[in-house]
Amino acid sequence: MAFGMTNHREHLVLIGAGHAHVAVLADWIQHGLPCERATLLTPHAHLRYSGTVPGWIAGQYERDAGTVDVAALAKRAGVQWVQGMCSRIDPDANRIVTDGGSTIEFDCASIDTGGVGRANRILGHDSRLIDIRPIDRFVEKMVQMNIPARIAIVGGGAGGVELAFALRNTSGPEVVTLITGADGLLPGFAESVRNRVRAELVAQSVTLVETNARLEDGALHGCDQSLEPTDLIIAALGSAAPEWPRESGLACDAAGFIAVDQHQRSISHTHIFAVGDIASRQDRIVPHSGVHAVHAGPILATNLRKLMLGHEPSASYTPCPTNLYLISTGDGSAIGSYGPLAAQGRWVAKLKHWIDKRWLSQYADLAKDV
């Protein structure tokens, strides 16, 4: 459904509080609301920054050091905060239904809820299996458990690698195994980076298994190899799409992520925007990564403001050909990746800490006067 330029845009609803929506709230604090009324719907008062979770596990951060008070940001921006989750949306009747059964009507909506875990879908079911998504539930489970002796991490991306290093540097585990999947260690990264990570895994006695994992008959396997005994299995497999966007009638890609154009607008309902892990750009490939969600935030803020003020959105996020990635090794050091370049040392860890702290502190400063 097209949202004609003559429609009134009085109520804008933000669904979820991912990295991009935090940037939108900051824009509204600094420049005022672009509409008469705005609502933020999110299950938690705080956004947990996933980049600090491995550091917390390794003892480098306090548990809640990497959180953003989104409820306080909303209050300062003049936005009503509603605690809950979207269970479905009627994009034609402009109505949201929450998990608590309440209804929120809107003129324009933006969705930044992130994806969902896919551990059971890919690996199967097992009482030892926990998913890193959603990150808040993962942290709660880690807080409640005593770290066991034998841990397997399934997922060879940067998140899985950082978790393996973090767990290797905490008390408890005697055996830490990283199972990458058939794509191998750090797919998409330069060979120079993979070589440094591979050497560091050996140095820290992390067992590397570069094959697919599966749960079968109550046991963890890698191809024909048994990976037992294992006390805890952590899935770091990236995000899957929740079911409600497709069930709600929004256009989605083949994997179920909301299909959006270059302005982050739904290709089927142009008064609805989506960004971050729940969205799928149809004009170009934008990987599901926190770095892209952070950079897309100000673009989304600009386009939402234009739409609510009666103008056509025109801003678009174009990813850089090369991005900086900093992978903590859990021991006070880190490995940096920038295209074909790789670096390692404590100075890289300090750079990572500075970048993370700068991102978090800008929103802490905006929220502290509430």
Side-chain angles (χ1 to χ4, degrees):
M1 182 187 80
F3 193 46
M5 298 306 293
T6 59
N7 289 63
H8 294 292
R9 298 167 181 81
E10 298 177 351
H11 188 200
L12 172 54
V13 177
L14 303 181
I15 305 171
H19 296 81
H21 276 179
V22 170
V24 170
L25 291 172
D27 176 80
W28 292 352
I29 291 171
Q30 294 163 345
H31 303 111
L33 289 178
C35 50
E36 293 185 13
R37 186 161 62 99
T39 299
L40 171 66
L41 173 67
T42 185
H44 304 290
H46 292 79
L47 162 70
R48 185 172 296 280
Y49 179 54
S50 60
T52 60
V53 171
W56 162 67
I57 291 174
Q60 298 166 353
Y61 293 103
E62 295 295 324
R63 181 184 66 180
D64 294 331
T67 59
V68 176
D69 191 340
V70 292
L73 289 177
K75 182 177 180 181
R76 186 165 183 202
V79 175
Q80 179 187 14
W81 175 56
V82 176
Q83 187 170 16
M85 298 175 63
C86 178
S87 61
R88 71 179 183 274
I89 184 170
D90 186 332
D92 297 315
N94 293 356
R95 188 176 297 115
I96 298 161
V97 179
T98 74
D99 55 342
S102 60
T103 299
I104 302 173
E105 296 185 351
F106 64 91
D107 295 303
C108 177
S110 179
I111 304 168
D112 185 17
T113 59
V116 298
R118 54 180 186 160
N120 296 135
R121 188 183 310 179
I122 293 179
L123 299 176
H125 293 266
D126 192 290
S127 61
R128 299 168 295 171
L129 177 62
I130 61 174
D131 203 309
I132 65 168
R133 296 174 188 272
I135 193 68
D136 290 283
R137 190 178 303 166
F138 172 71
V139 169
E140 289 173 5
K141 289 182 177 180
M142 294 297 289
V143 168
Q144 294 168 2
M145 73 169 61
N146 294 319
I147 303 297
R150 296 159 298 197
I151 302 175
I153 299 98
V154 183
V161 168
E162 281 202 316
L163 279 175
F165 283 132
L167 289 162
R168 179 76 280 179
N169 285 275
T170 191
S171 59
E174 299 172 4
V175 177
V176 176
T177 302
L178 177 63
I179 310 161
T180 66
D183 290 337
L185 181 67
L186 293 174
F189 282 75
E191 190 63 28
S192 58
V193 179
R194 291 197 296 268
N195 287 339
R196 284 182 180 269
V197 171
R198 198 181 302 274
E200 188 63 29
L201 290 169
V202 171
Q204 294 199 30
S205 299
V206 176
T207 302
L208 181 63
V209 178
E210 296 190 74
T211 186
N212 287 329
R214 73 182 188 280
L215 287 162
E216 188 174 281
D217 299 326
L220 181 65
H221 297 271
C223 285
D224 297 328
Q225 175 186 1
S226 172
L227 300 175
E228 298 292 349
T230 299
D231 303 312
L232 176 65
I233 306 165
I234 300 176
L237 295 168
S239 63
E243 296 179 358
W244 64 264
R246 191 190 298 279
E247 292 174 348
S248 296
L250 293 171
C252 296
D253 68 6
F257 297 102
I258 300 171
V260 297
D261 65 12
Q262 69 270 32
H263 308 307
Q264 305 299 148
R265 298 172 87 174
S266 164
I267 64 171
S268 61
H269 296 81
T270 55
H271 62 304
I272 295 177
F273 291 68
V275 69
D277 282 0
I278 200 168
S280 173
R281 284 273 292 270
Q282 299 301 289
D283 62 307
R284 63 168 61 243
I285 296 175
V286 179
H288 287 165
S289 170
V291 64
H292 297 301
V294 168
H295 290 305
I299 300 297
L300 176 66
T302 297
N303 285 335
L304 289 175
R305 183 173 294 278
K306 284 188 174 184
L307 184 70
M308 298 306 286
L309 294 177
H311 307 292
E312 279 292 329
S314 59
S316 179
Y317 166 60
T318 301
C320 295
T322 301
N323 289 287
L324 176 66
Y325 291 92
L326 303 172
I327 301 172
S328 172
T329 55
D331 58 354
S333 185
I335 296 171
S337 167
Y338 187 77
L341 305 177
Q344 185 172 0
R346 291 187 174 274
W347 70 269
V348 182
K350 290 180 180 178
L351 176 62
K352 174 177 170 56
H353 175 73
W354 178 79
I355 292 173
D356 290 344
K357 185 177 180 181
R358 182 183 63 172
W359 189 85
L360 290 162
S361 63
Q362 66 180 318
Y363 299 114
D365 291 343
L366 288 174
K368 67 183 179 181
D369 294 332
V370 175

